[in-house]
Amino acid sequence: MARRFGDWHATATNHTPAEDAQGIFTGCVMAAIGVAILAHLGFLTGSTAGLALVISYATDFNVGLVYFMLNLPFYALAISQLGWAFTIKTFLAVGLLSVLTWLQPRLLQFGEIEPLTGAIVAGLLIGFGLLALFRHRASLGGAGILALYLQDRFGWRAGFTQLAVDLLVLALAFTVASPIAVLYSVIGAVVLNLALAINHRNDRYVAQ
């Protein structure tokens, strides 16, 4: 791990720490804006972020805090199967997204957003935010950790794995949201995971 974080020379298969920092920051900002759009519209997303929104809507707890707490159990899988470098970067990404989500109402507010447009734009923002993180061997925890492990181990597309998990999480959304809101949320989740499935493949991008 020391060699990994001490190497400041980029290669075809290795990012520098500065490149990792830029990629992780960019991915978290994009994801935070996407989550903020969904929350503004009363929609949800999948994975632990979506589950955090469900709990937040049901309990009025801060979504950033709930999101951070939900991710803690997944770090055991990350440490044992994906290594300390991945786990540390993922922990930092989860923490950063939690902070950005908490700060968002103070820094960025939205007016009227057409629902279908909002669902699609939010899905794209979160999807490409995750893509940036995946390409720097980080994730936003939860299903992202599981999806990357299954892609590395069995070659399963991370986007399709996440879509399956997301649809399960969105099924819970019927307890806190209207059917039309869930429908828009499903559209956003499909857009998000198609962006990942099409653009994140081990045979196309090998840098870590």
Side-chain angles (χ1 to χ4, degrees), residues 1-11 13-18 20 84-85 88-89 208:
M1 184 176 66
R3 289 196 300 271
R4 170 69 180 88
F5 286 102
D7 182 6
W8 290 87
H9 300 288
T11 68
T13 58
N14 194 58
H15 290 119
T16 68
D20 281 341
W84 277 102
I88 291 170
K89 287 187 287 185
Q208 298 186 11

Side-chain angles (χ1 to χ4, degrees), residues 15-144:
H15 290 119
T16 68
E19 290 170 341
D20 281 341
Q22 188 275 336
I24 291 170
F25 179 79
T26 300
C28 287
V29 169
M30 294 175 68
I33 296 174
V35 170
I37 292 173
L38 293 176
H40 175 75
L41 291 168
F43 300 163
L44 299 104
T45 187
S47 192
T48 44
L51 188 56
L53 283 172
V54 170
I55 294 173
S56 177
Y57 291 154
T59 65
D60 206 31
F61 289 161
N62 179 271
V63 65
L65 177 61
V66 174
Y67 171 72
F68 183 83
M69 297 300 294
L70 284 175
N71 275 288
L72 293 178
F74 288 93
Y75 292 126
L77 174 63
I79 293 170
S80 64
Q81 300 297 329
L82 297 169
W84 277 102
F86 172 88
T87 305
I88 291 170
K89 287 187 287 185
T90 294
F91 184 83
L92 292 174
V94 169
L96 178 58
L97 182 63
S98 299
V99 170
L100 291 172
T101 302
W102 177 64
L103 290 175
Q104 174 268 317
R106 301 166 175 79
L107 302 177
L108 182 67
Q109 299 182 12
F110 302 99
E112 183 177 350
I113 302 176
E114 194 278 322
L116 180 59
T117 301
I120 292 172
V121 170
L124 288 172
L125 284 169
I126 298 171
F128 282 98
L130 285 170
L131 181 64
L133 291 164
F134 285 3
R135 289 188 168 180
H136 288 268
R137 294 299 291 175
S139 77
L140 290 175

